[in-house]
Amino acid sequence: MSQTTLTQLEQQQDFVRRHIGPGASETSQMLETVGATSLDDLIQQTVPASIRLPQPLAIGASQTEADALASLKNIAAKNIVNRSFIGMGYYDTHTPNVILRNVLENPGWYTAYTPYQPEIAQGRLQALLNFQQMTLDLTGMDLASASLLDEGTAAAEAMTLAKRMSKNKKSNLFFIADDVHPQTINVVQTRAEMFGFDTIVAKAADVAEQDVFGALLQYPGTTGEVQDISALIAAVQDKKGIVAVAADLMSLILLKSPGEMGADVVLGSAQRFGVPMGYGGPHAAFFATRDAYKRSLPGRIIGVSQDTRGRPALRMALQTREQHIRREKANSNICTAQVLLANMASFYAVYHGPEGLKTIASRIHRFTDILAKGLTSKGLTLAYKQYFDTLTVKVGESKNTIVEAALKAGLNLRSDLDGVIGISLDETTTRADILALFGVILGAEHGLDIEQLDNQLVADGSDSIPAELVRTSDILTHEVFNSYHSETEMLRYIKSLENKDLALNHSMISLGSCTMKLNATAEMIPVTWPEFGKLHPFAPMQQAQGYKAMIDELGEWLINITGYDNISMQPNSGAQGEYAGLIAIRKYHESRGDAHRNICLIPSSAHGTNPASAQMVDYKVVVVNCDKNGNVDMADLKTKAAEMADNLACIMITYPSTHGVYEETISEICDIVHQHGGQVYLDGANMNAQVGLTSPGLIGSDVSHLNLHKTFCIPHGGGGPGVGPIGVKAHLAPFLPDHNVLGVDASTKGNGAVSSAPWGSASILPISYMYIKMMGGKGLKKATEMAILNANYIAKKLSGHYPVLYKGRNDRVAHECIIDLRPLKESSGVTEMDVAKRLNDYGFHAPTMSFPVAGTLMIEPTESEAKAELDRFIEAMLCIREEIAKVESGEWDALDNPLHNAPHTLADICDSEWNHSYDRQLAAYPVASVAKNKFWPTVNRIDDVFGDRNLICSCPSVDTYRD
């Protein structure tokens, strides 16, 4: 028997081989197919030598799953999880276990992509429609979105909506009430500065005296006060201003809705509906407005349309508002949402129903009344007598003593206000918590009894919610919120929706520029550890040393990978990263006396977020042409850079290019822009083709965002969450985001925030941490090499049947390839849409459709897909090509063919009438492998135009579906 060394045996346990799909034998076969002798040979042929890294990544060796989890567990143990009573928009909550296990921890929900192919996404679309319905019911508004990034950025979006829609065109002033959460004020003021809006922060009552285009109020206020804001709303509207109200969703179960008070926009966080605090995120923000403002609503809207059989079907509505279509004229640069978290919140509402939610809210309020009764009975004074769940207690010079006593008892109180402490209760509050609070505030001999206080309240009554603000309107009357209250029913409901969605746990998702790679289970496990999940984002820093250690180490790795000098983890999406990076560029120019520099060059192939982000920092977009090979037109770049040198701020460029090739001139592009006084923003969307081979810093870039939900394995969650940290060269580091509640770094003190929490969506950073830890430097490099091999393998196998639109050196593509369907459309009438929908019948999600070139499909296989899955996808594409040939030849009618009628549902196949010229077997099982694992789309092709013309964005009756 041959001997194997211990080291060799340990290497066979390595995570790298589980993350990378093709094994050694498959890799050899694929290399032979593409005409390369080795991976290194392929990379030499593909990646320009001038930008290759001179040394390997300094990440360290890969670790096994068990070792990496144990290491991170030790780091997590450094966090101190106190009972949190800080509030300020973040509350502890109970995630129902049926939702925890079957949604948050379920790859059927977290590995799906944005529902751009709605026929295979009806489950999450229904959950999001439920979220919108929940939002509408509780806010009292007409129209709601499918979630935004967090409360602070939602408020900033409300400000820009107000500027667009206000009829007070002479005013440039936006009013912010001083009882808005301080982190929200910070984010809004950052956005206002970029747009050139003036802001004023003052007592809410002062808004009536101001001439403003819009105002932001908080209900209840950050210190807990509940007051009738109807008159304030009316006063602003009388002067043609727009009023946004940031509201607490749980409070709206008991309080009169802002919509009933006349608000134009209502926004806030759905975090306390079953989503852990997670040191700040990710959390779904809700956003609702009037129907009249639907064209200005930021983010995604789920609407009800119909399919070709006339049945109701869901889709993303009014996409013409969004950044990927309107570019610099878009309402917002938002490219993602918080779908997974919005789904959790909507399931929370479905599970508890209106009566369950009323019980939860009433219990929270009752505990608050009991706490208030006890404190006031001992002589303490409340700053406000009307509240929902938050008390502000006047304690004078005793404040520090009380706060310290609370910390020793394991309790965190709000302590940032002079002479008072803040106490916010939540659904996890217990009798023991109330007694503990009495103890630290009043002393151990307080002598208070909770049952006695409760009985006194029964006898005396409570007016802490004034009668005029008690909710009288019904909530959550739709049957979906009144049907699934046992765990068995809820489990089956969640599963019924999951079955309607195609996710990575079913088959490869080949979306180009989206990097749908393995989200390993070991990477996901730490997300639900209480050491990470139960921390309040404004807890004292000494309680978050585990987070600090993890974030610092992850930051060092990302700096090494990118070749930058510093990094900010605050941006909670790729679009937010672009925004933060452009702010750094703008601030840098201002610091040098170059505030006039406001031109942003953007290649015509760029992602829609690039021009949308540029307009958010008040930059003027100038488009640079691309040549016939998909590269930046160097002559056009040189001309425009020279012409605009005096005002050139930056260029935004993606590498490898959006066309899927390594442009040979990338360093020259950077040099040209630098020579003319500009900065280089390199979009990190395609980092999966850079890691370990090259880096933005080496190429010559000054700043990049990194899509951790792409290259670094945070799952897409059905359309969110995302994380978009930015790396910068040293000269831009002083201009990174800071935070006004909990400073990020002394070097950035005073800078504005771009997200509500100091470290953005901190609770999902362990995913990327685990990925890098388990891959190690060599593994990360190999992942990039295999992504390039897989893409070139697909390009090679398809090139004889479909034109591959762009290729780089030696006819190689990078990590993705674009196939051109326009010639086939001319010869057959078959469109890229037909091919995309027909792929559903083969059990696949379609590649990216019509981006960056209309009439094309962009395919990115990633390194995680094995050769067998690649071959299955290739087989599907080749069979579809044969089907197109039958349309070309006239064998199949131009309209009656399986491409035009795709996708085919079980209802089609089981219909007693079959009037097509092709048979049912071909429609449903076009190749043998499909029968082994058939995925059935639940609706036929959806009519987008009908859905936009008949906009319905709330839950229709279940009878509609039965009909």
Side-chain angles (χ1 to χ4, degrees):
M1 176 176 162
S2 62
Q3 292 296 310
T4 305
T5 68
L6 177 61
T7 299
Q8 289 171 328
L9 289 170
E10 288 175 336
Q11 286 174 344
Q12 291 174 19
Q13 293 181 295
D14 195 57
F15 172 77
V16 177
R17 71 181 181 88
R18 299 193 185 279
H19 175 79
I20 293 174
S25 176
E26 292 177 316
T27 300
S28 295
Q29 296 172 41
M30 293 163 66
L31 285 167
E32 183 178 355
T33 298
V34 303
T37 59
S38 65
L39 277 175
D40 189 59
D41 179 38
L42 175 64
I43 299 308
Q44 295 289 348
Q45 295 179 32
T46 307
V47 183
S50 61
I51 61 166
R52 294 286 301 277
L53 288 173
Q55 67 279 324
L57 295 175
I59 301 297
S62 62
Q63 290 195 0
T64 65
E65 295 180 37
D67 288 345
L69 282 168
S71 174
L72 187 54
K73 191 71 172 178
N74 288 334
I75 292 173
K78 297 178 181 178
N79 289 329
I80 299 171
V81 183
N82 276 9
R83 292 289 286 125
S84 178
F85 301 99
I86 298 172
M88 299 174 70
Y90 299 94
Y91 306 86
D92 203 0
T93 182
H94 291 306
T95 305
N97 289 319
V98 66
I99 297 173
L100 175 71
R101 176 62 58 89
N102 296 290
V103 181
L104 180 59
E105 297 178 346
N106 181 357
W109 285 95
Y110 67 68
T111 68
Y113 186 62
T114 302
Y116 287 127
Q117 297 293 333
E119 292 84 357
I120 54 173
Q122 290 295 295
R124 83 197 82 128
L125 286 166
Q126 181 63 64
L128 289 173
L129 193 70
N130 294 345
F131 179 84
Q132 291 178 181
Q133 184 67 64
M134 173 189 80
T135 301
L136 295 176
D137 281 9
L138 294 177
T139 62
M141 301 302 289
D142 302 329
L143 185 70
S145 76
S147 78
L148 294 178
L149 300 175
D150 61 26
E151 183 166 337
T153 54
E157 297 291 348
M159 174 180 63
T160 56
L161 180 148
K163 185 62 175 176
R164 287 190 298 271
M165 303 309 301
S166 173
K167 294 183 179 178
N168 186 0
K169 301 301 181 183
K170 294 181 180 179
S171 175
N172 194 49
L173 181 63
F174 187 73
F175 180 92
I176 308 171
D178 63 1
D179 64 346
V180 171
H181 293 314
Q183 70 273 17
T184 301
I185 295 175
N186 197 193
V187 173
V188 172
Q189 288 181 321
T190 300
R191 187 77 60 93
E193 180 186 358
M194 292 301 105
F195 276 123
F197 303 157
D198 299 319
T199 60
I200 182 174
V201 180
K203 291 188 178 302
D206 295 346
V207 71
E209 308 303 319
Q210 301 292 329
D211 181 30
V212 298
F213 69 80
L216 175 65
L217 309 177
Q218 188 97 37
Y219 174 77
T222 187
T223 53
E225 184 180 16
V226 172
Q227 57 179 324
D228 190 340
I229 54 176
S230 302
L232 301 181
I233 293 171
V236 175
Q237 292 171 340
D238 285 346
K239 297 180 180 179
K240 300 180 181 179
I242 301 291
V243 180
V245 176
D248 177 87
L249 204 58
M250 186 66 76
S251 75
L252 298 185
I253 296 166
L254 300 185
L255 297 179
K256 184 178 182 179
S257 73
E260 293 171 298
M261 297 185 195
D264 297 297
V265 177
V266 185
L267 60 98
S269 173
Q271 177 266 312
R272 67 192 308 183
F273 273 39
V275 180
M277 289 186 287
Y279 206 47
H283 305 139
F286 62 88
F287 193 102
T289 189
R290 299 174 182 271
D291 182 73
Y293 305 149
K294 59 177 175 269
R295 293 284 174 181
S296 288
L297 185 67
R300 295 168 180 159
I301 309 170
I302 307 307
V304 183
S305 187
Q306 64 182 21
D307 70 3
T308 54
R309 294 177 72 92
R311 299 175 303 178
L314 308 178
R315 54 182 281 277
M316 293 197 294
L318 296 180
Q319 289 190 51
T320 51
R321 306 163 301 111
E322 295 189 43
Q323 47 76 28
H324 62 287
I325 293 176
R326 296 198 71 208
R327 301 175 78 79
E328 70 269 21
K329 295 181 175 64
N331 293 324
S332 167
N333 73 335
I334 290 173
C335 184
T336 187
Q338 298 284 22
V339 171
L340 182 64
L341 299 315
N343 286 343
M344 289 178 64
S346 77
F347 283 132
Y348 180 94
V350 168
Y351 191 41
H352 288 296
E355 294 308 313
L357 290 177
K358 287 176 186 176
T359 298
I360 292 169
S362 298
R363 182 177 175 276
I364 294 169
H365 181 61
R366 190 63 167 185
F367 267 132
T368 313
D369 270 344
I370 290 170
L371 180 62
K373 186 84 170 176
L375 295 177
T376 55
S377 72
K378 295 297 182 178
L380 290 178
T381 303
L382 304 181
Y384 311 109
K385 294 181 180 180
Q386 295 175 337
Y387 49 79
F388 166 64
D389 64 357
T390 298
L391 303 178
T392 297
V393 186
K394 297 180 180 180
V395 293
E397 295 180 357
S398 300
K399 174 186 167 183
N400 291 340
T401 302
I402 292 171
V403 170
E404 288 300 319
L407 288 172
K408 289 179 181 178
L411 313 177
N412 287 346
L413 307 178
R414 182 173 181 181
S415 59
D416 62 318
L417 304 171
D418 292 336
V420 299
I421 55 171
I423 309 170
S424 292
L425 307 185
D426 55 54
E427 70 166 315
T428 71
T429 301
T430 64
R431 285 171 168 78
D433 291 329
I434 301 300
L435 290 174
L437 288 166
F438 285 149
V440 300
I441 298 171
L442 302 171
E445 305 301 321
H446 57 78
L448 294 172
D449 180 84
I450 289 177
E451 302 305 329
Q452 289 180 355
L453 293 169
D454 193 26
N455 290 333
Q456 288 175 23
L457 283 166
V458 172
D460 300 340
S462 170
D463 59 359
S464 54
I465 297 178
E468 66 273 17
L469 293 182
V470 172
R471 181 149 203 154
T472 57
S473 55
D474 292 332
I475 62 168
L476 306 180
T477 57
H478 191 276
E479 53 207 297
V480 74
F481 300 107
N482 294 276
S483 302
Y484 309 107
H485 304 324
S486 77
E487 183 163 337
T488 301
E489 292 170 314
M490 189 65 190
L491 177 68
R492 290 172 182 162
Y493 179 63
I494 291 172
K495 183 61 177 175
S496 72
L497 297 189
E498 180 193 342
N499 288 344
K500 297 178 180 181
D501 284 9
L502 191 149
L504 271 176
N505 62 343
H506 181 275
S507 61
M508 165 183 167
I509 298 179
S510 61
L511 284 149
S513 197
C514 293
T515 316
M516 301 295 295
K517 66 205 296 181
L518 172 70
N519 312 124
T521 307
E523 295 158 9
M524 301 300 296
I525 285 173
V527 172
T528 53
W529 288 348
E531 298 94 325
F532 287 132
K534 293 180 75 67
L535 253 69
H536 191 288
F538 305 147
M541 278 301 300
Q542 60 266 32
Q543 295 177 16
Q545 291 305 298
Y547 259 116
K548 184 178 187 305
M550 186 265 295
I551 290 171
D552 285 350
E553 190 171 11
L554 176 60
E556 290 171 5
W557 290 337
L558 294 176
I559 287 169
N560 182 251
I561 288 167
T562 59
Y564 286 123
D565 300 308
N566 211 326
I567 196 160
S568 169
M569 297 292 186
Q570 190 175 116
N572 52 9
S573 78
Q576 287 293 94
E578 291 182 14
Y579 172 57
L582 290 171
I583 289 175
I585 289 174
R586 176 172 153 171
K587 291 288 188 180
Y588 168 74
H589 285 310
E590 289 174 352
S591 74
R592 293 161 52 86
D594 286 340
H596 60 280
R597 290 188 175 272
N598 68 343
I599 300 294
C600 179
L601 301 176
I602 299 182
S604 60
S605 63
H607 296 94
T609 53
N610 289 177
S613 295
Q615 65 88 24
M616 287 180 63
V617 298
D618 205 26
Y619 277 179
K620 179 181 178 182
V621 173
V622 174
V623 176
V624 178
N625 296 329
C626 290
D627 63 24
K628 64 180 181 180
N629 296 317
N631 301 314
V632 170
D633 185 326
M634 294 300 291
D636 191 47
L637 172 66
K638 291 175 182 177
T639 298
K640 287 174 177 172
E643 287 178 352
M644 300 169 187
D646 289 345
N647 296 308
L648 180 60
C650 63
I651 188 171
M652 298 186 79
I653 190 165
T654 302
Y655 199 75
S657 76
T658 313
H659 292 136
V661 297
Y662 290 94
E663 293 188 52
E664 300 283 335
T665 58
I666 183 63
S667 293
E668 184 184 355
I669 290 170
C670 295
D671 290 342
I672 291 169
V673 173
H674 286 145
Q675 288 164 12
H676 291 92
Q679 295 285 287
V680 176
Y681 186 104
L682 195 147
D683 188 314
N686 292 343
M687 274 299 296
N688 209 44
Q690 287 194 48
V691 178
L693 300 181
T694 184
S695 73
L698 178 67
I699 288 167
S701 173
D702 300 291
V703 53
S704 298
H705 78 272
L706 304 173
N707 297 98
L708 298 193
H709 47 287
K710 294 183 180 182
T711 302
F712 297 96
C713 288
I714 291 175
H716 288 253
V723 183
I726 56 169
V728 296
K729 288 289 181 69
H731 63 281
L732 293 181
F735 310 105
L736 291 173
D738 196 47
H739 199 275
N740 65 338
V741 178
L742 202 64
V744 174
D745 188 88
S747 66
T748 58
K749 187 174 182 179
N751 292 350
V754 297
S755 301
S756 290
W759 288 275
S761 293
S763 70
I764 54 176
L765 294 178
I767 302 170
S768 297
Y769 179 94
M770 283 290 294
Y771 170 65
I772 296 174
K773 191 85 167 176
M774 293 188 296
M775 291 295 283
K778 291 182 180 178
L780 291 171
K781 179 183 177 184
K782 187 174 181 182
T784 307
E785 293 171 338
M786 291 303 299
I788 294 168
L789 174 58
N790 281 2
N792 277 278
Y793 178 71
I794 283 183
K796 182 71 173 180
K797 297 286 277 188
L798 294 183
S799 61
H801 308 271
Y802 299 92
V804 176
L805 190 56
Y806 300 114
K807 293 181 181 179
R809 57 163 47 208
N810 301 308
D811 286 333
R812 298 300 186 195
V813 297
H815 63 309
E816 59 194 6
C817 63
I818 299 173
I819 60 172
D820 192 355
L821 300 180
R822 292 172 296 181
L824 295 176
K825 183 177 181 179
E826 291 181 10
S827 62
S828 67
V830 174
T831 67
E832 68 278 9
M833 179 75 77
D834 295 330
V835 174
K837 303 307 181 187
R838 183 58 171 153
L839 274 168
N840 298 168
D841 290 332
Y842 285 81
F844 287 107
H845 194 293
T848 301
M849 189 173 65
S850 290
F851 175 83
V853 180
T856 66
L857 295 177
M858 182 161 61
I859 304 166
E860 181 178 357
T862 83
E863 71 275 12
S864 295
E865 299 299 342
K867 180 175 178 293
E869 185 72 353
L870 301 181
D871 287 340
R872 203 170 69 83
F873 176 79
I874 291 164
E875 178 189 30
M877 290 300 297
L878 297 185
C879 289
I880 288 173
R881 180 63 185 91
E882 292 175 2
E883 292 176 351
I884 295 172
K886 292 182 179 181
V887 180
E888 285 178 303
S889 68
E891 180 179 344
W892 280 343
D893 181 78
L895 297 179
D896 184 27
N897 63 71
L899 295 132
H900 183 75
N901 294 327
H904 297 85
T905 63
L906 196 57
D908 292 330
I909 305 306
C910 295
D911 199 323
S912 59
E913 295 185 10
W914 181 263
N915 300 316
H916 301 300
S917 58
Y918 54 95
D919 63 43
R920 301 177 200 237
Q921 182 76 17
L922 177 66
Y925 302 105
V927 292
S929 61
V930 172
K932 297 177 183 178
N933 187 27
K934 176 64 180 175
F935 178 87
W936 288 102
T938 52
V939 297
N940 292 90
R941 197 176 303 192
I942 297 172
D943 188 337
D944 291 333
V945 174
F946 178 89
D948 281 350
R949 288 177 177 170
N950 304 276
L951 187 64
I952 301 173
C953 299
S954 55
C955 293
S957 168
V958 171
D959 290 334
T960 306
Y961 293 92
R962 293 192 186 108
D963 295 341

